[in-house]
Amino acid sequence: MRVEAVLGDITRQDVDAIVNAANEALAGGGGVDGAVHRAAGARQMHEACARLGGCATGDAKATPGFALKARWVVHTVGPRWRGGNAGEEQALRSCYRRCLEVADELGARSVAFPAISTGVYGYPPRQAAEVAVTTLLGTETKVELVRLVAFDQASFDIYRELLASHGGRAGQ
Ligand code: ADP
C-alpha cells in the first residue's frame, strides 16, 4: 500500500472511496460532513445514512457516493478529544482500521481520508496525523493507494514530515 498526502478538498478526490468524518447519528453536520453531504447530493445522502441506523465512535459504515467522483463514502465517527486519557487514541486508530476493512469489503483500491477528529472534535493535529500514518501503514489491506487530504498547509506539512520518516510519500 502507498500512502500519500495532498492539500485539497476531500469531496473532489478522484478515488474509489472517500472517508467522511461523521457523527454518531450520521445526520450530517458541519465541516467535512456538511461538505460531503452537499457534494454527494444532500437528500440522497441523508436518506442513505438514515438507513444505516447510526454509527458508533471508532466504527465505519458505507454508502454510495451519489454525485461525487468517488463511488463510495465510508462514514466514520472519530472520538471527541477529552484531554487524551479517555481512549481517544484507541478510538481514532479504530476509525482508520475500520475504514480500510470496509473499503476491502467494497473492493475499493484507492481511499482518501480527511484528518478525522481534528476539526470540531478537537484532536491535536500532529497527534492525529501520527495515529493516521502509523495505523494505515500497520494495517493489512487490499487497498493500494491511501491519500491523506490536508485542508490547510500546516496539516499538509505534518503529513509530509511523517510520511518521509515512515516511508510513505507526499504528493502535490
Ligand atoms: P471532526 O468532527 O471529526 O473533528 P471536522 O469536519 O470538523 O471533523 O474536521 C476534520 C478536519 O477536516 C479538520 O482538520 C478540517 O479542517 C478538515 N476539513 C474541513 N473541510 C474539509 C474538506 N472539504 N476537505 C478536507 N478536509 C476538510
Side-chain angles (χ1 to χ4, degrees):
M1 190 223 318
R2 193 171 100 229
V3 182
E4 63 179 24
V6 301
L7 182 58
D9 182 335
I10 190 78
T11 65
R12 304 182 69 89
Q13 302 302 311
D14 192 0
V15 286
D16 294 337
I18 66 166
V19 170
N20 179 24
N23 53 54
E24 287 190 331
L26 297 182
V32 171
D33 204 5
V36 167
H37 276 250
R38 275 193 302 278
R43 192 184 54 80
Q44 273 181 304
M45 184 55 87
H46 193 77
E47 283 171 11
C49 284
R51 282 193 287 275
L52 295 175
C55 184
T57 298
D59 199 2
K61 294 183 177 182
T63 64
F66 300 109
L68 293 166
K69 283 187 198 153
R71 184 164 169 202
W72 297 288
V73 175
V74 179
H75 305 265
T76 191
V77 182
R80 287 185 180 76
W81 183 256
R82 295 193 166 91
N85 294 313
E88 294 94 328
E89 181 180 333
Q90 190 187 23
L92 190 59
R93 284 194 189 284
S94 174
C95 287
Y96 283 94
R97 259 196 314 269
R98 283 289 301 136
C99 285
L100 289 179
E101 283 173 12
V102 170
D104 279 341
E105 288 163 15
L106 295 167
R109 291 291 180 264
S110 53
V111 182
F113 286 82
I116 301 162
S117 281
T118 64
V120 170
Y121 282 4
Y123 208 110
R126 172 170 289 273
Q127 284 166 254
E130 274 167 11
V131 167
V133 168
T134 57
T135 306
L136 290 165
L137 290 173
T139 302
E140 278 294 314
T141 177
K142 295 195 193 70
V143 172
E144 291 160 5
L145 172 68
V146 166
R147 182 176 299 158
L148 295 168
V149 181
F151 204 49
D152 58 84
Q153 185 67 43
S155 304
F156 176 66
D157 291 343
I158 293 170
Y159 281 146
R160 195 161 49 179
E161 183 193 312
L162 290 173
L163 289 175
S165 61
H166 287 89
R169 277 177 37 137
Q172 203 158 288

